Amino acid sequence: MSFGSGRHLAYPISVTIGAMAICLALAPFGDSDQVAALGAVALGIIGYSGYRIAVAQGLLAFWPSGTVRTVSVSRMRQQHRLVSRSWLEISGTGRPRWLPVYFDPDLLTLTETRADLTDRTIHLAGHRLYPSGRISTTEPPGRLVDNPSRPDPDAAALTATATRLRRRLVLDAQSTVAAPFAALMWIYIDGGGFTTFLAATCVAAAAALWLSAIRGSDPS
């Protein structure tokens, strides 16, 4: 799966399309309240995905600075509850900063290096990384695992495993455990039978999977 230079955006965009497809497929079978709820979910998915992709593509700034800086960056992997993301720890901007980025296989072999940073893009030796959120002045919560000081000799095998679509879906599917409870809440509010419960569970699971992907989950 490849979208040209933005190949690491292929997965979140594909999951977004899948979530939208589920909403559209269920809409013809719902009543007015259910269609309205599906419309609200679909609008939320479109709006938030558009914002994230606009930031990733450099259409929106991820931090308030208009100058190009050469900084030192190193990669760390965050594990917080069911969330797993890649972050760049940035030095050379005063106090340390942390920037979440979409997963890229090149991150697995990244050691501390120099990068050109603007308020919209970050380039490492001609290779562009795509931010998955705003830059932060506080360390990400949870367990943080730094990349080794030398490239991992097993990085090629790890890359082949980490970039498999099935693996990424299975890892992100952990966040769908709350989907049945969200469906029960909908049944409690709006009523409905077992079919409605199954449909609501599918929508909630698709939305949870989408949220993990669009926020930049890390399958490594």
Side-chain angles (χ1 to χ4, degrees), residues 42-109:
L43 285 176
I45 290 174
I46 292 173
Y48 192 63
S49 297
Y51 168 74
R52 288 290 191 182
I53 292 171
V55 171
Q57 295 288 354
L59 302 178
L60 297 174
F62 57 80
W63 73 314
S65 172
T67 59
V68 178
R69 300 187 183 187
T70 300
V71 297
S72 295
V73 299
S74 57
R75 180 248 184 175
M76 62 176 58
R77 183 177 184 273
Q78 175 201 25
Q79 186 67 48
H80 181 54
R81 299 192 181 103
L82 298 179
V83 175
S84 178
R85 304 176 76 185
S86 277
W87 292 74
L88 297 181
E89 185 174 12
I90 301 171
S91 305
T93 60
R95 60 187 300 182
R97 299 174 187 266
W98 291 266
L99 176 67
V101 292
Y102 284 104
F103 177 75
D104 187 306
D106 291 332
L107 291 171
L108 299 178
T109 56

Side-chain angles (χ1 to χ4, degrees), residues 29 66 77 88 149 152 173 175 189:
F29 304 100
R77 183 177 184 273
L88 297 181
S149 58
D152 188 344
S175 60
I189 293 173

